[in-house]
Amino acid sequence: MTIPAATRSVSRAGRAAFAPWLEPGRQPLIRLDGVTRDFGQVRAVDGVTLDIHAGEIFCLLGPSGCGKTTLMRMLAGFDDPDRGRILLDGADLVGQPPHLRPVNMMFQSYALFPHLSVADNVAFGLRQQRLGRGDIADRVARLLALVELTGLERRKPDALSGGQKQRVALARALARQPKVLLLDEPLGALDRRTRERTQFELMAIQRELGTTFLVVTHDQDEAMVLADRIAVMEAGKVIQVGPPRSVYEEPQSRAVASFLGDINLIEARVTQVAPGSVVLACPGFGAVEVAAPNEPVEPGRAVALAIRPEKLRLTPGEGLQGPNRALCRVTDIGYRGDGTLYSVAMEEGPVLRVSQINADREMSQAIGLDDVVTIAFSPTAALVLTR
Amino acid sequence: MTRRGSWKRALVPALPMLWLGALFLAPFAIIVRMSLSTAATAQPPYRPVFDLAAGWDRLRGDLGALDLANFATLFGDSLYVASLWSSLKLAGLATVILLLIGYPLALALSRLPPRWKPLGLALVILPFWTSFLIRVYAWIGILRPEGYLNTALLWLSVVDEPVAFLNTDFAIVLGLVYAYLPFMALPLFAAVDRLDPSLMEAAQDLGAPRWKAFWLVMLPLSLPGAVAGALLVFIPAVGEVVVPDLLGGSDTLMIGRTLWSEFFSNRDWPLASALAIMLLAALLPPILIYRAVEARRWETAR
């Protein structure tokens, strides 16, 4: 039997070795340098320093009010920082009005001009460049073909579905061939089914054009699927930057760990330090052995043991042997079809969440409410967080 | 049950129809009939007076006495056409100035933080709390040769002797603009405030400087509000009496004033009625054009 090779790799993770941020000396396309913006007493953006490279899909991820939108608006020119520089290809953009910046934006509301047809919406930016009629018509036709809207040229935005509006907005923002495309919650207004399809279309278009995308979103799933790198923001600051895998699997703080996905955080204390691993005194588990954190720790240090629900193994009864395990009682069962999320309480210690994939149809019936179960994890499944 | 229901439902559109019939069509019919009569020194001051009690023959004779002589007078004497023309010009000029002032005002109001908006709107409406007549009188105090404006200009040495502001067309246009600003600002505000602010940002983002974004996006999208405001201002301004009477010069021709003097000074009710009909006829085309434009907008919106 032969296994067919993937004809086109869709997810960003499948893109072989695209990591310009790792190349020393490489000039970034965008450099944010100590960018700060105050609104009255509130510091919306607080000393953000970031490099974004050409060709990246870069996501600013954070809860509402974290400053990600303000940061994007400063790139577009609708706002300017109080301090700091915003360099694009080495030139400072600060103070330049929006219509002169080689940057375009896809608005969250799409902001399609309701009095103009689809074709006129897409042509709007081209008309400002004083191109010939023929050139404009050609480019509009190519853009509409790119977003698969050929045939809807004469429609008004009100007569389009949500997904179609999104694609008109994308075509309009791409028309001027911006150096950076800013996308404000690009999938936020779409229903779930359209979202998934649109996500992949966005990535395919980005790869075809090679345009740098800067995406602002509060939706971690959206960020994980789309992004080459994610910057997690909180209270105006960037608290961690990295590819989706590293932000998810190697969060550097409790804030990042709990913002991305679900995670159990257990307050613990370091008891022994060995090369490559540490031993923690952890309520409920007793002594647990975990891979050493990046930052050196000394015995006695208060840390958090962080472990995601899918990385805990769950077996009925007192079955599991070995270290890093605890006996628990099931207090809640959330059946989701493809998997089940259990809440388990330890004799002495916190309530943990454990998720299991229902790989067998019988599986979800094996564990019931109030059953005694054993949970366990391997040393590399958990993390030690010092911050 | 259903019949009763449908009867009640028919009542709802019938009420405004009755209103329109009683308060617009009936008076209008009286005006038309009066415009076809002849002035007389009597009570009422026109002939013929229809008397149903006098019998059918008499009534037929009265009907035969109606004619278009008043309209012939209107077009025969250049005074009336000239005063209509000058009213249209002054009201048109005031409307254009009001649009130029109204847009920035409406935009400023719509950009106020939400908790200041009601106060801003209240300030626009506030002048209505004082009598219109008193407010126009106040302008006399400002504009007259020894008024506040001239005093200030003399003190600043901008002029050497008082400028004759009062009793000029300038004063009339100023008075009209002042009096009708809320009627322009409010519909414009309603039209502008509804628009998603990111539309203007999108236009700028796509390479249009601010003025061009206004011209290409804000203006076409707020046009219904601008047209509504312009009509709301232009129509009453054409027939305005108080402003030209108090601020205008003795030689200023405005149709409202001419109408007033025909009615009350000359006691020529039939001629005044004919003049009122001529005014209405002059104002009809812009209203019809507006209606047609609105109807087309609804069509295409579907």
Side-chain angles (χ1 to χ4, degrees), chain B residues 185-228:
Chain B
L186 293 179
L188 268 183
F189 167 77
V192 162
D193 195 47
R194 241 198 7 223
L195 295 179
D196 178 358
S198 58
L199 288 173
M200 282 291 280
E201 289 182 347
Q204 291 176 61
D205 186 64
L206 291 167
R210 207 180 274 266
W211 67 267
K212 215 170 170 193
F214 174 85
W215 185 255
L216 293 174
V217 176
M218 179 71 84
L219 193 64
L221 288 175
S222 60
L223 205 56
V227 172

Side-chain angles (χ1 to χ4, degrees), chain A residues 300-347:
Chain A
R301 173 87 179 262
V303 293
L305 176 73
I307 182 152
R308 297 203 182 270
E310 76 276 10
K311 293 184 173 64
L312 283 165
R313 272 173 295 144
L314 185 70
T315 40
E318 303 180 22
L320 280 176
Q321 296 299 313
N324 298 0
R325 66 195 175 87
L327 270 186
C328 304
R329 190 172 294 281
V330 175
T331 59
D332 210 348
I333 300 177
Y335 176 70
R336 290 193 299 215
D338 59 340
T340 306
L341 184 68
Y342 299 91
S343 285
V344 298
M346 291 187 277
E347 198 114 320

Side-chain angles (χ1 to χ4, degrees), chain B residues 225-286:
Chain B
V227 172
L231 284 180
L232 227 47
V233 159
F234 179 73
I235 291 171
V238 170
E240 179 61 48
V241 181
V242 175
V243 171
D245 200 44
L246 294 182
L247 304 181
S250 52
D251 56 340
T252 305
L253 291 171
M254 270 194 82
I255 193 113
R257 218 171 155 198
T258 313
L259 219 146
W260 172 277
S261 57
E262 288 300 344
F263 248 112
F264 297 101
S265 312
N266 295 353
R267 263 181 91 74
D268 193 341
W269 290 17
L271 187 67
S273 300
L275 198 55
I277 289 171
M278 183 168 93
L279 175 60
L280 187 71
L283 292 177
L284 220 48

